[in-house]
Amino acid sequence: MKDIMKKDMENGAGNVTENIWKKDTMEQWKNRKITSRGDAAELLLDMIRPLKRFYSPGHAWLKVGHTGVHYGDKPAWMEGFARVMWGLGPLWSRENEDLSAELREEAKEWLALYLNGIIHGTDPSHEEYWGDLTDYDQKMVEMAALVTGISLSPQKLWEPLTKDQKKNLYNWLNQINDHKVHPNNWRFFRILVNMMFQLLELPWPEAVMEDDMAVIEACYTGDGWYYDGNAGQVDYYIPFAIHFYSLVYAKMMEEKDPERSRKFKERSGVFSGDFIYWFAADGREIPYGRSLTYRFAHSAFFGAMAFAGVEGVGYAVMKHLALNNIEQWLKKPIFDNAGVLTIGYGYPNLIMSERYNAPGSPYWAFKAFFLLAVPEQHPFWQAGEELYPYEEKKMLPHPHMLVTHGCHDHVLAYAAGQHCKNHGACPEKYEKFVYSNKFGFSVSRGFGLAEGAFDNTLAVSLAGEERYQMRYGAEAFEVTEDEVKISYRLMPGVEVVSRIIPKGAWHVRIHEIRTEHEIDLADGGFAL
């Protein structure tokens, strides 16, 4: 182990640097099908190869850009390092016989680099030490990828460490048990840390675990659905965070915590029957809610289902959606000229971002590669791909949506009652009348009609002021099998009741407006 580390330090990033990234490396994937675990593993390695030159000398930090973030540079660099592990951890969990000898060797070189980074990042005496934790620390988020990777492959990521290195790693992770953690999906970061401690037979606080599980349980609303700490907010954090982590826990803790593991699996299975309606048959999902810059992480839930052995809507259907979703994203300009994932959605766009989106944040998308933890012999990989028999119109009570599936794989979600605070562009991301997987949606960058880009929403201005705004919150709402009805204020003195009635590929809007002022009003259609 020491010889490997010495060689790795002397040679910088190791031999993998010889695999220079070229633009056509990713171009080939625009027209290439992913059909096997080996294909997915090859894609992962192609995606991370350009990152090699952005690691720090001690390999504990990944610096892929210079845009700011509210938690500062060093935690952002640590975040970049950790999020790549959402792909590498599952890759290392198997022996990778389905890869060529060259790619197997590359996977081993990445392992040496990451062991190096973990050793230095958790060593208080090293210049790249990740730092002590504070309450609600961003580094808590990134612990999840580390401990999941270690739990998947302790023989590769724990046993090679010296006694002192293990102590440093344990002490650094254990800090999370002494600090405050947000009462939402963040509690799973601490749950996963203490899960790893249990699996490795290290000391862990049972009372803290029970408190965290109680917070998650309080967010459960039934039929497989949770909310993420805010009762008026149901978005992709339910599948790619709460369910994703619960499935990781359920599989790894089957023997130590069988009852809770069974419950988590059952809930995910039920949830899959609703969540699948957020995807078209071609794998393209509805853009909705915050953190859209995580892109193909939206399909990570299906790989986690297979990992936990939960068949849900069927392995063949989940395989089709998981792989096709990744393929859809590879056709979009989401990488910069250096091969780095950008902040944005369908293309680089900082206006779409949240204050917690650092340069390395988009690599949360690598949760989609959790399907690499599923062995090639598993029914998930052995199944042929199948299409799901979607209903043309489906009411989803828990996210307050009517969802329609039409021709040309067009999915429309008519939403009501959703409300998010303090994450940036919340009205645009949660409160438009309808969201489309074909048209996307616009985020405002000003108050005029052109800059506001008020698609699929009403916007109001006092007459002549050219200072438009859309709704923010609702007084009341109702979702039935036939329509969505919302009562809200556009501004003080302007009250509206809107009825949205889906009719296949189109819909009817009926607005009843009561105003105390002379106003200018705009009703936007789809953004072309």
Side-chain angles (χ1 to χ4, degrees):
M1 180 65 202
K2 291 181 180 178
D3 291 340
I4 293 175
M5 288 302 157
K6 182 178 179 182
K7 176 183 176 183
D8 194 45
M9 286 296 290
E10 290 173 350
N11 295 337
N15 294 335
V16 183
T17 52
E18 297 171 6
N19 298 312
I20 300 172
W21 185 84
K22 301 180 179 64
K23 274 192 175 182
D24 60 1
T25 302
M26 292 309 300
E27 285 293 319
Q28 64 161 324
W29 288 102
K30 290 184 177 181
N31 299 304
R32 180 175 168 184
K33 287 287 295 178
I34 307 168
T35 61
S36 66
R37 183 188 178 278
D39 290 341
E42 182 182 350
L43 171 61
L44 171 67
L45 290 169
D46 283 349
M47 283 179 136
I48 64 177
R49 203 168 293 127
L51 302 180
K52 290 299 298 250
R53 61 194 179 98
F54 298 112
Y55 285 85
S56 55
H59 301 153
W61 293 332
L62 178 60
K63 309 177 184 180
V64 292
H66 302 284
T67 52
V69 69
H70 77 86
Y71 40 84
D73 284 342
K74 289 185 179 180
W77 300 338
M78 184 268 167
E79 173 189 86
F81 170 91
R83 293 198 173 186
V84 176
M85 276 194 73
W86 281 122
L88 284 173
L91 178 70
W92 295 327
S93 72
R94 302 292 161 188
E95 293 308 311
N96 296 314
E97 297 94 341
D98 45 354
L99 294 182
S100 67
E102 181 182 7
L103 292 179
R104 285 199 302 272
E105 182 61 27
E106 186 174 357
K108 292 178 182 178
E109 290 166 358
W110 277 105
L111 176 62
L113 183 151
Y114 264 76
L115 277 168
N116 202 357
I118 291 170
I119 289 168
H120 293 151
T122 56
D123 181 356
S125 66
H126 195 274
E127 61 183 358
E128 293 182 17
Y129 174 57
W130 289 328
D132 294 342
L133 260 65
T134 59
D135 291 344
Y136 312 115
D137 199 311
Q138 177 67 24
K139 294 188 290 291
M140 296 174 177
V141 181
E142 315 317 327
M143 285 181 173
L146 295 177
V147 299
T148 299
I150 294 168
S151 298
L152 285 169
S153 304
Q155 74 282 6
K156 297 177 181 177
L157 289 166
W158 175 255
E159 293 173 8
L161 303 180
T162 66
K163 181 178 179 181
D164 287 342
Q165 290 165 352
K166 289 178 179 177
K167 182 179 179 181
N168 285 340
L169 176 55
Y170 174 81
N171 288 341
W172 186 79
L173 291 169
N174 194 43
Q175 293 179 85
I176 197 171
N177 287 313
D178 298 320
H179 289 282
K180 295 178 182 178
V181 182
H182 291 298
N184 54 19
N185 78 88
W186 277 49
R187 291 301 181 100
F188 259 116
F189 307 143
R190 188 157 61 190
I191 288 170
L192 293 178
V193 168
N194 288 317
M195 175 195 78
M196 189 200 87
F197 289 167
Q198 288 184 70
L199 293 173
L200 295 178
E201 299 183 346
L202 300 169
W204 61 282
E206 186 173 355
V208 171
M209 175 73 86
E210 290 304 316
D211 181 66
D212 291 340
M213 287 294 189
V215 169
I216 299 299
E217 190 64 26
C219 294
Y220 187 66
T221 60
D223 302 317
W225 286 88
Y226 296 81
Y227 60 82
D228 186 26
N230 174 11
Q233 182 182 338
V234 181
D235 51 29
Y236 282 103
Y237 275 85
I238 311 311
F240 70 31
I242 292 179
H243 273 292
F244 182 91
Y245 303 133
S246 70
L247 287 164
V248 171
Y249 182 94
K251 176 62 176 178
M252 294 188 177
M253 296 293 286
E254 283 175 324
E255 295 183 4
K256 293 182 178 293
D257 192 357
E259 182 57 30
R260 190 174 278 135
S261 295
R262 180 194 59 78
K263 179 176 66 177
F264 283 155
K265 290 180 182 182
E266 287 182 355
R267 287 179 178 178
S268 292
V270 174
F271 174 78
S272 68
D274 280 352
F275 178 55
I276 197 171
Y277 276 85
W278 289 21
F279 291 80
D282 66 359
R284 189 180 302 182
E285 80 276 21
I286 302 165
Y288 182 79
R290 65 190 178 101
S291 296
L292 292 178
T293 198
Y294 301 157
R295 296 182 174 107
F296 44 94
H298 295 154
S299 61
F301 169 76
F302 302 118
M305 286 271 285
F307 171 75
V310 184
E311 192 164 357
V313 293
Y315 288 130
V317 170
M318 293 192 295
K319 176 183 177 181
H320 174 78
L321 289 179
L323 300 184
N324 277 266
N325 181 251
I326 296 173
E327 290 170 2
Q328 289 285 349
W329 279 108
L330 296 178
K331 295 178 173 66
K332 298 181 183 295
I334 59 176
F335 299 94
D336 66 17
N337 289 339
V340 176
L341 273 175
T342 56
I343 298 172
Y345 189 61
Y347 49 86
N349 184 359
L350 287 175
I351 299 174
M352 278 290 292
S353 68
E354 288 83 19
R355 67 180 183 273
Y356 53 81
N357 290 161
S361 294
Y363 286 93
W364 178 289
F366 279 9
K367 284 185 172 183
F369 286 106
F370 210 79
L371 46 75
L372 295 176
V374 181
E376 183 73 25
Q377 298 75 29
H378 191 280
F380 175 85
W381 289 114
Q382 296 301 313
E385 296 184 30
E386 291 183 7
L387 301 180
Y388 186 77
Y390 291 106
E391 299 175 30
E392 290 186 9
K393 185 166 60 177
K394 176 81 168 179
M395 185 174 74
L396 303 179
H398 291 274
H400 318 306
M401 288 180 176
L402 266 180
V403 181
T404 63
H405 280 250
C407 58
H408 308 298
D409 292 316
H410 191 193
V411 183
L412 296 163
Y414 300 86
Q418 292 269 31
H419 189 61
C420 172
K421 300 177 181 179
N422 304 322
H423 284 299
C426 286
E428 294 94 330
K429 294 173 182 177
Y430 289 89
E431 301 194 45
K432 298 198 174 187
F433 296 134
V434 59
Y435 292 84
S436 161
N437 73 328
K438 294 290 188 181
F439 293 95
F441 66 88
S442 299
V443 171
S444 299
R445 61 182 299 161
F447 300 110
L449 284 182
E451 294 295 301
F454 298 105
D455 59 293
N456 284 313
T457 188
L458 277 181
V460 66
S461 171
L462 290 176
E465 282 197 1
E466 188 67 12
R467 186 177 176 84
Y468 286 86
Q469 64 187 58
M470 64 174 287
R471 69 184 171 97
Y472 182 61
E475 305 294 326
F477 67 92
E478 181 181 2
V479 181
T480 70
E481 298 283 353
D482 299 311
E483 69 175 18
V484 173
K485 183 178 180 181
I486 317 163
S487 301
Y488 55 96
R489 291 193 310 163
L490 276 174
M491 63 170 59
V494 182
E495 298 180 352
V496 183
V497 177
S498 293
R499 292 174 57 206
I500 314 299
I501 306 168
K503 293 291 183 180
W506 53 285
H507 62 275
V508 174
R509 303 179 191 175
I510 303 171
H511 307 299
E512 179 185 327
I513 302 167
R514 299 178 182 271
T515 179
E516 299 173 5
H517 320 289
E518 185 178 352
I519 57 174
D520 294 328
L521 196 70
D523 191 355
F526 288 105
L528 297 178

